[in-house]
Each structure stands twice: as C-alpha cells, then as structure tokens.
Amino acid sequence: MALPVPPPARVFAELLPTPAPASAPAGGGGGGGGGGGPPAPSGREVHVSGSAELSAGPDRARVSLRLGSRKGAAGAARSSVSRRLEYIAQSARQRGVTVCIIFSDFGKMQNVCNLLIEKLGTSVTISPPHFYHTPEAVDTLRRQVCVAAVGNTRRKAQEVCRLFGQSLGKPLLIREEETKEWGGHIDDHLSNSPDSLTLQERIQNATAYASCRVFAVFEIKGKENRRNKLL
C-alpha cells in the first residue's frame, strides 16, 4: 500500500494585548492605593495542529513443518516420523524456543530451521516464515505515535511563543483529530508473501505503520524570561 503523505502542520497564534486595569473611581480617597485580587487571565492562546508517524517491525514469526517417511510397513513409517518429530521438539527446546513453533527471536528461528534441514534432509519440509504482530505490539505502536504527535505539537507551540518573546503555559485542550494504520499483519494464519521473498523483505512487508494528528491549545503566560540568556 502506498505511503500516504501526512498533511502539513498548521500553526495558529493569537497574541492579544493584556487588558489595562480599571481606573480608580473619581473622588476616591488617596490612601487606599488600589488593592485588589489577582489579575484576570489574559485569554491569550496559541493553537497548534501537528502530526507524527511511527513504524514497528513484526514481533512474532510462525513456521510450519511437514514430516514424511517411506518405509516397507506403516508402523515403521509412523515410528520414523515420531522420532524425527521428537528430534525437532528437542532441538527447539535446547535453544529456548517454544515448540509450537512460534518464534519471537528471528535469529534463533533461522538457526533451528537450518539445523533441521541439515539433519533431516528431504524428509522435512519447512514453510517460509510468516511474520506478524501480537495485539500488544499494535497497542504499543498506537500509544507511542499519539504521544509523539502531542510532543511535536508542544514543541511547535514553544517555538511560536519564543518567536514573539512569550512563554508557553499549560495546555488548555489536546484533541486527537485523526489516526491511520497500514501495513503489517496481525496474528493471521494466511501469508500473502510470495515464496521468493528474502527474510528481510518479508519482515519489511510485515512492518506496521501508524500516523496521528492532534490539535492542541496552550496558554500564553507572558514575556519569556530572558535572565538566563543575559548571564
């Protein structure tokens, strides 16, 4: 699937002058000095829309094995297949691999498959590996891309405020506007990858992508503190 081009980020800033304090009533006494509560919020905000895109390679691989044996009697053939099957399970256990056989370590997967082909020859047929994502891996990708989009949005808001000599305040609104996911395989028993693909090409085909666009509103606190810049 073609990679969609994310929309360009939009940055909107509204810098309004701070309202002037109300003047004292005419004829008021001169001793009060205009005491009162804290000043009202200025209502100044910076509006930022930004996006992020992340990818995650597959975290699981499935390999199917088919055993065969030709003997003069059916019992001898079954015994031969059973011995080979036990050898496969033993080889996998010795290398810390689940005997299903589902791999989370692709290097161990290659080593086990190569060993079985070397030892068992034509009596074993090993299918090309099928790579996929567990639901937990997909959920992690979704969270990471959202957090990355929010982080990008905040950094843009800081840059806008700094451009005008202002200081960024607290977030007033953060809204996830759009999320997209493409590529990758969830736990699917069917593989659409041709047998001619290399291992790295299969991993690339199973890589999952996600993008997220958020809209955020931040408070503008006031003039940026330039004390550290003058030191």
Side-chain angles (χ1 to χ4, degrees):
M1 182 180 295
L3 185 66
V5 179
R10 297 170 296 160
V11 180
F12 306 92
E14 183 178 9
L15 303 177
L16 302 176
T18 303
S23 58
S42 65
R44 302 192 306 165
E45 301 171 350
V46 56
H47 297 200
V48 182
S49 178
S51 62
E53 180 182 306
L54 295 177
S55 64
D59 61 327
R60 292 291 186 275
R62 182 186 296 108
V63 174
S64 299
L65 306 176
R66 186 176 62 197
L67 290 172
S69 179
R70 292 182 177 272
K71 299 291 182 180
R78 285 195 298 269
S79 177
S80 176
V81 170
S82 297
R83 289 196 304 270
R84 286 177 169 84
L85 184 60
E86 177 58 31
Y87 177 77
I88 290 173
Q90 180 182 358
S91 299
R93 291 191 188 99
Q94 288 175 348
R95 288 159 178 79
V97 178
T98 307
V99 182
C100 297
I101 300 174
I102 296 175
F103 297 89
S104 58
D105 187 318
F106 301 156
K108 289 182 179 180
M109 176 194 68
Q110 285 186 288
N111 292 336
V112 170
C113 291
N114 291 338
L115 177 65
L116 295 178
I117 293 174
E118 177 185 349
K119 297 296 183 181
L120 300 178
T122 57
S123 65
V124 61
T125 302
I126 302 180
S127 69
H130 170 56
F131 296 97
Y132 63 95
H133 294 81
T134 57
E136 293 79 12
V138 176
D139 289 340
T140 298
L141 176 61
R142 290 168 179 163
R143 292 194 303 269
Q144 288 177 341
V145 73
C146 180
V147 171
V150 173
N152 290 339
T153 303
R154 183 177 183 276
R155 283 188 288 272
K156 289 180 180 180
Q158 285 180 319
E159 293 176 5
V160 170
C161 288
R162 195 170 294 124
L163 179 66
F164 294 100
Q166 305 295 307
S167 177
L168 185 67
K170 63 183 178 181
L172 304 177
L173 170 69
I174 298 177
R175 182 174 65 235
E176 188 178 59
E177 291 195 320
E178 182 182 55
T179 58
K180 292 182 180 179
E181 298 176 16
W182 64 98
H185 304 292
I186 311 300
D187 190 358
D188 184 2
H189 291 272
L190 299 178
S191 175
N192 297 323
S193 301
D195 294 345
S196 60
L197 294 180
T198 66
L199 186 69
Q200 291 303 319
E201 288 173 338
R202 288 176 176 275
I203 293 176
Q204 182 61 39
N205 282 354
T207 298
Y209 298 85
S211 66
C212 179
R213 182 161 53 91
V214 300
F215 174 78
V217 178
F218 294 89
E219 178 188 30
I220 299 177
K221 292 170 60 176
K223 293 292 185 181
E224 184 180 16
N225 186 1
R226 299 181 177 272
R227 181 174 179 270
N228 293 332
K229 296 183 179 181
L230 297 176
L231 295 179

